[in-house]
């Protein structure tokens, strides 16, 4: 039964972590879901702007986004 216990531990740990991530990013999730209710389709840049703020022009003429980490605090 040790395998069953380990599986349960892994599932419960990941469930808690998932809830934590969703709760930490609730405002962004609400913003994106409201936009989807209005328009049904969003592209990646629209979602990125909603989550991180509008893109800013970099000195080299490219597009740069301020956050170095994703909404979950992990490096992208």
């Amino acid at each position: 039964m040790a395998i069953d216990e380990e599986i349960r531990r892994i599932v419960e740990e990941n469930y808690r972590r998932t809830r934590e991530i969703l709760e930490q990013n609730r405002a962004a999730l609400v913003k994106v879901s409201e936009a989807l209710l209005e328009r049904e389709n969003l592209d990646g840049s629209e979602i990125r702007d909603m989550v991180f703020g509008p893109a800013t022009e970099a000195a080299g003429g490219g597009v740069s986004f301020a956050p170095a980490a994703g909404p979950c605090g992990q490096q992208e």
Side-chain angles (χ1 to χ4, degrees):
M1 292 297 167
I3 292 173
D4 291 340
E5 291 170 8
E6 182 65 10
I7 290 170
R8 178 179 297 275
R9 185 193 66 75
I10 290 169
V11 169
E12 288 176 355
E13 179 182 319
N14 284 293
Y15 175 79
R16 280 192 302 274
R17 184 168 185 267
T18 300
R19 282 196 57 105
E20 192 175 291
I21 290 168
L22 291 171
E23 288 170 4
Q24 289 172 352
N25 294 284
R26 183 179 181 92
L29 292 169
V30 168
K31 189 182 287 188
V32 170
S33 64
E34 287 173 350
L36 285 168
L37 286 171
E38 289 178 18
R39 299 193 10 226
E40 293 187 20
N41 292 306
L42 299 171
D43 65 28
S45 64
E46 291 171 313
I47 294 171
R48 190 178 306 114
D49 288 349
M50 281 186 253
V51 174
F52 298 116
T56 57
E57 290 297 319
V63 176
S64 172
F65 295 92
C72 302
Q74 298 175 347
Q75 293 292 8
E76 291 187 3

